[in-house]
Amino acid sequence: MAPVTNGRYVFNEYPTGYPVIDKTVSYDATNTIDLWNVPLNGGTLIKVLVLSIDPFLRNRMDMPDPEAAFSWSFKKGDPIEGYGVGVVLRTENSALKKGDLVYGLYDFQEYVIWPGLPANGISRVLENKENLPLSAYVGVAGMPGQTAYYGWKEYASPKNGEVAFVTTGAGPIGATVIQLAKAAGLKVIASAGSDEKVAYMKSIGADVAFNYKTTKTATVLQKEGPINIFWDNVGGETFEAAIEYAATGARFLQCGSVSTYNATEVYPVKNLTKITVKELHIHGFNVAGSLATKYREEFYATVPGQIARGEIKYKEYVLRGLDKAGQGLLDVLTGKNFGKCVIIVADE
Amino acid sequence: MAPVTNGRYVFNEYPTGYPVIDKTVSYDATNTIDLWNVPLNGGTLIKVLVLSIDPFLRNRMDMPDPEAAFSWSFKKGDPIEGYGVGVVLRTENSALKKGDLVYGLYDFQEYVIWPGLPANGISRVLENKENLPLSAYVGVAGMPGQTAYYGWKEYASPKNGEVAFVTTGAGPIGATVIQLAKAAGLKVIASAGSDEKVAYMKSIGADVAFNYKTTKTATVLQKEGPINIFWDNVGGETFEAAIEYAATGARFLQCGSVSTYNATEVYPVKNLTKITVKELHIHGFNVAGSLATKYREEFYATVPGQIARGEIKYKEYVLRGLDKAGQGLLDVLTGKNFGKCVIIVADE
């Protein structure tokens, strides 16, 4: 068979503010690949089926710090990289076989050759006994679901009757946290950026849901708080409001700060001294950090089944075609997406 | 015997910036008390011997928030209140006897009548088997020592060979923390505001000590870090530098933020997003909070003995006479004091 196009989504330059499609990043269809004859050298040829669009992609577009020992910034001219699921087409690796579904960090490219399964604690062959749609494995059953599950398990310490405030509650992390908090017997306040997202958050259990673009977070927390648990995916002014209306001894789970990623000026949080007065506990964490080893197997043994049985609900925002990756990222960064943003690169 | 003067140190008005002596606060010698005949109504007459000057006195001079359910702001016309030690002169309370030494929160007044020992978890009769100077019981063996001990025990999780950074390291809290950190096998970086304080911090074990007024904190941390434990008594720009040079998984013990107490503008901490990236754990606490019940008896059973044996060293900045209370507070807020500031109200 003749070589086929191996499209890729390339990083071109470090943006200021929001990335610009066809400038910051662009789709490139000039490469080809001969799927039958390309040498594997002991590795594995994978066809990428699903790619995940997550806010952290924007962080990786930040200019690398020249003094830092390690930079995870994208390199100009390389494809961007994120979570995905692919299927093994050919392999010379005895640990894999044709047809295996593989979760991991992928170059945004239609076909990739991996020397081996990267030993990054992320890659794994998906059993998918529950027959979930593969897109679920980059969302509620993937990195975002893991983020929610690991953080909640380790740091929330929920007590029945307490109050939790969950930001980005219609996104894949926040929506999972809302459901974990309700299962723990908490009153849940949740915020998102549109009225349809508010309705969705209520449908999955939020007791109080509001549109932060039309209702001030501080006003809601003053009325419905004080809060014992704060799931922060936003930072900035929202973090400040949470400190202001936190109960003594509240736990803050710092998952991200999407409000700051494209901001050119830092919001000056004015009440940090209350961390001491209120005895707050603020825990930063990330899914690839110290918690993964502790909770990964428990997660895969538990959560896909709960999803299959409908005990954990989720919602997706699906774009078709690798060339839509930039649009997906912009939608995620501006909050236009409603549900977990996934790119269907190929159906099989 | 004729009534004697019962001097008191009175709060007059809410200050902007630093308190002003004879304006914000003033000494008042117009009251008298008849020590032999004043009715006790079942209570106890106490002669105040030692009073403690601590930075939190300034916080209690903040204007009360009219919406807050509870305010600990001083009331105009009342004496200020802080930690002290007094001796029982007369009592109708069977739990006490003449000559008992009582630690607690005192009005800044030469003589007080307490209806009973306040049930605030603070007041206690001091056994003083170790025969320490009474002033030690408001410093290294009192609230500041407890703050260091409770916070360190609960949140530091020191591992041999880690690096700790201790601010206000010549003060009673920081100096105790330096010694606890060294005893745990850590490398200790410590800061204070004068060269003589730097020499003192080295004398009690700090490996790296610097004057933050002449050397940039960020420069020292960049060279000597990254830090695993941050004892923060300062806040603001120092907090920002600590985040910048924190190791992954570092513990921050937020004990106070003296840099902000008299500031009229809030320093805008610019790197809060790194709390997530670095998986930092930031714990606010205060000595009268949730840790007191857990550690108080252990503290009194352990620390006075360590002090008596010279295992924990301390330094005092002594002023004589209740009329010096305002000067003491200004000295503490500007860092002019070298050692724990105590007011000797009376010798016996």
Side-chain angles (χ1 to χ4, degrees):
Chain A
M1 276 175 56
V4 297
T5 298
N6 190 6
R8 53 188 208 135
Y9 211 83
V10 179
F11 180 68
N12 299 312
E13 60 178 50
Y14 299 105
T16 308
Y18 287 99
V20 178
I21 295 171
D22 291 337
K23 184 164 181 284
T24 312
V25 285
S26 57
Y27 180 68
D28 167 32
T30 55
N31 289 350
T32 60
I33 186 169
D34 181 339
L35 297 176
W36 298 104
N37 298 308
V38 60
L40 301 182
N41 300 316
T44 302
L45 173 64
I46 298 179
K47 181 178 187 182
V48 177
L49 301 177
V50 176
L51 288 168
S52 178
I53 302 293
D54 297 291
F56 79 83
L57 296 175
R58 174 62 185 83
N59 300 64
R60 297 192 61 183
M61 294 178 182
D62 284 341
M63 190 88 72
D65 176 353
E67 291 182 17
F70 167 81
S71 166
W72 76 329
S73 297
F74 293 133
K75 287 192 186 61
K76 294 181 186 181
D78 281 358
I80 63 173
E81 182 194 53
Y83 292 91
V85 177
V87 61
V88 173
L89 296 185
R90 291 166 50 211
T91 183
E92 295 172 357
N93 180 340
S94 60
L96 294 171
K97 61 181 188 303
K98 183 169 189 286
D100 275 353
L101 297 169
V102 181
Y103 174 72
L105 276 172
Y106 283 94
D107 280 345
F108 272 45
Q109 198 162 286
E110 292 182 288
Y111 302 93
V112 298
I113 294 170
W114 281 5
L117 272 196
N120 53 11
I122 295 168
S123 313
R124 69 189 291 132
V125 176
L126 299 173
E127 298 184 48
N128 198 17
K129 290 177 292 194
E130 297 82 4
N131 205 26
L132 300 181
L134 293 186
S135 56
Y137 284 99
V138 300
V140 63
M143 183 277 283
Q146 288 163 359
T147 304
Y149 188 91
Y150 299 176
W152 186 265
K153 278 264 173 176
E154 184 75 4
Y155 299 120
S157 305
K159 286 164 210 70
N160 194 37
E162 285 191 331
V163 178
F165 171 41
V166 183
T167 58
T168 62
I173 299 175
T176 305
V177 173
I178 289 172
Q179 295 174 79
L180 291 169
K182 283 313 296 177
L186 271 57
K187 168 178 167 178
V188 176
I189 307 168
S191 65
S194 76
D195 292 345
E196 65 178 350
K197 290 178 183 176
V198 168
Y200 174 66
M201 294 189 293
K202 284 185 180 162
S203 80
I204 58 171
D207 300 282
V208 178
F210 67 99
N211 178 347
Y212 71 85
K213 292 180 178 169
T214 54
T215 306
K216 243 178 115 68
T217 298
T219 308
V220 176
L221 297 187
Q222 184 174 25
K223 177 162 179 275
E224 303 288 348
I227 59 174
N228 305 97
I229 297 172
F230 175 42
W231 187 279
D232 189 8
N233 217 346
V234 173
E237 192 171 359
T238 309
F239 180 66
E240 181 177 83
I243 290 177
E244 200 61 29
Y245 297 104
T248 299
R251 286 80 67 198
F252 279 35
L253 290 83
Q254 300 302 121
C255 171
S257 42
V258 71
S259 76
T260 69
Y261 296 164
N262 299 284
T264 46
E265 282 189 28
V266 173
Y267 179 85
V269 174
K270 289 176 286 292
N271 56 358
L272 293 173
T273 60
K274 293 191 177 165
I275 294 171
T276 302
V277 180
K278 295 189 171 195
E279 302 201 295
L280 304 184
H281 305 286
I282 301 176
H283 298 284
F285 62 95
N286 59 73
V287 71
S290 57
L291 301 182
T293 315
K294 187 167 175 184
Y295 292 112
R296 190 190 306 115
E297 295 311 317
E298 177 184 320
F299 175 86
Y300 280 109
T302 308
V303 173
Q306 293 180 311
I307 297 166
R309 292 190 298 276
E311 295 164 18
I312 296 179
K313 297 178 180 62
Y314 69 104
K315 192 168 179 67
E316 289 181 341
Y317 176 80
V318 178
L319 299 175
R320 298 191 70 84
L322 180 54
D323 59 314
K324 301 296 192 305
Q327 187 57 51
L329 181 57
L330 267 187
D331 290 349
V332 163
L333 293 176
T334 57
K336 198 191 145 196
N337 65 312
F338 181 16
K340 171 74 191 90
C341 182
V342 294
I343 306 288
I344 304 297
V345 182
D347 285 313
E348 57 186 324
Chain B
M1 274 175 60
V4 297
T5 297
N6 190 5
R8 55 191 208 132
Y9 211 83
V10 180
F11 180 67
N12 299 312
E13 59 177 51
Y14 299 107
T16 308
Y18 288 99
V20 179
I21 296 171
D22 291 338
K23 185 163 180 283
T24 311
V25 283
S26 58
Y27 180 68
D28 167 31
T30 56
N31 289 350
T32 59
I33 185 170
D34 180 339
L35 298 176
W36 297 104
N37 297 309
V38 60
L40 301 182
N41 301 316
T44 302
L45 173 64
I46 299 179
K47 181 178 187 182
V48 176
L49 301 176
V50 176
L51 287 168
S52 178
I53 302 292
D54 298 291
F56 79 83
L57 296 177
R58 175 60 185 84
N59 301 63
R60 296 192 62 183
M61 294 177 183
D62 283 342
M63 189 92 69
D65 176 351
E67 292 182 17
F70 167 81
S71 165
W72 75 330
S73 296
F74 293 132
K75 289 193 185 61
K76 294 182 187 180
D78 281 358
I80 62 173
E81 182 195 53
Y83 292 91
V85 177
V87 60
V88 173
L89 296 186
R90 290 167 48 210
T91 183
E92 294 172 357
N93 179 340
S94 60
L96 295 171
K97 61 180 190 302
K98 183 169 189 285
D100 275 352
L101 297 168
V102 181
Y103 173 71
L105 276 173
Y106 284 94
D107 281 344
F108 272 45
Q109 199 163 286
E110 292 181 287
Y111 300 94
V112 297
I113 294 171
W114 281 6
L117 272 195
N120 53 10
I122 295 168
S123 314
R124 68 189 290 133
V125 176
L126 299 172
E127 298 184 48
N128 198 16
K129 290 177 293 196
E130 297 82 5
N131 206 25
L132 300 181
L134 293 186
S135 55
Y137 283 99
V138 300
V140 64
M143 183 276 284
Q146 288 162 0
T147 303
Y149 188 91
Y150 299 175
W152 185 264
K153 277 264 172 174
E154 184 75 4
Y155 299 121
S157 305
K159 286 165 208 70
N160 193 36
E162 286 191 330
V163 178
F165 171 40
V166 182
T167 58
T168 61
I173 300 175
T176 305
V177 173
I178 289 172
Q179 296 174 77
L180 291 169
K182 284 313 296 178
L186 271 56
K187 170 178 166 177
V188 175
I189 307 168
S191 65
S194 78
D195 291 346
E196 64 178 350
K197 290 179 183 176
V198 167
Y200 174 67
M201 294 188 294
K202 285 185 177 160
S203 79
I204 57 170
D207 300 283
V208 178
F210 68 99
N211 179 347
Y212 72 85
K213 292 181 179 169
T214 55
T215 306
K216 243 178 114 69
T217 299
T219 308
V220 176
L221 298 188
Q222 184 174 27
K223 177 162 179 273
E224 303 288 348
I227 59 173
N228 306 96
I229 297 172
F230 174 41
W231 187 279
D232 188 8
N233 217 346
V234 173
E237 191 171 2
T238 309
F239 180 67
E240 181 176 84
I243 290 177
E244 201 62 28
Y245 297 103
T248 298
R251 285 81 66 199
F252 279 34
L253 290 82
Q254 300 302 121
C255 171
S257 42
V258 72
S259 76
T260 68
Y261 297 164
N262 300 283
T264 46
E265 282 189 29
V266 173
Y267 180 85
V269 173
K270 290 176 284 294
N271 56 358
L272 293 173
T273 61
K274 293 189 177 168
I275 294 171
T276 302
V277 179
K278 294 189 170 194
E279 303 200 294
L280 305 184
H281 304 286
I282 301 176
H283 298 283
F285 62 95
N286 58 72
V287 71
S290 58
L291 302 181
T293 314
K294 187 167 175 183
Y295 292 113
R296 190 188 309 115
E297 294 311 317
E298 177 183 319
F299 175 86
Y300 279 108
T302 308
V303 173
Q306 291 179 312
I307 298 167
R309 293 191 297 276
E311 295 164 20
I312 297 180
K313 298 177 179 64
Y314 69 103
K315 193 169 179 67
E316 289 180 343
Y317 176 79
V318 178
L319 299 174
R320 299 191 70 85
L322 180 54
D323 59 314
K324 301 296 191 308
Q327 187 57 50
L329 180 57
L330 267 187
D331 290 350
V332 163
L333 294 175
T334 57
K336 198 192 146 198
N337 65 312
F338 181 15
K340 171 74 192 89
C341 182
V342 293
I343 306 287
I344 305 296
V345 182
D347 284 312
E348 59 186 322

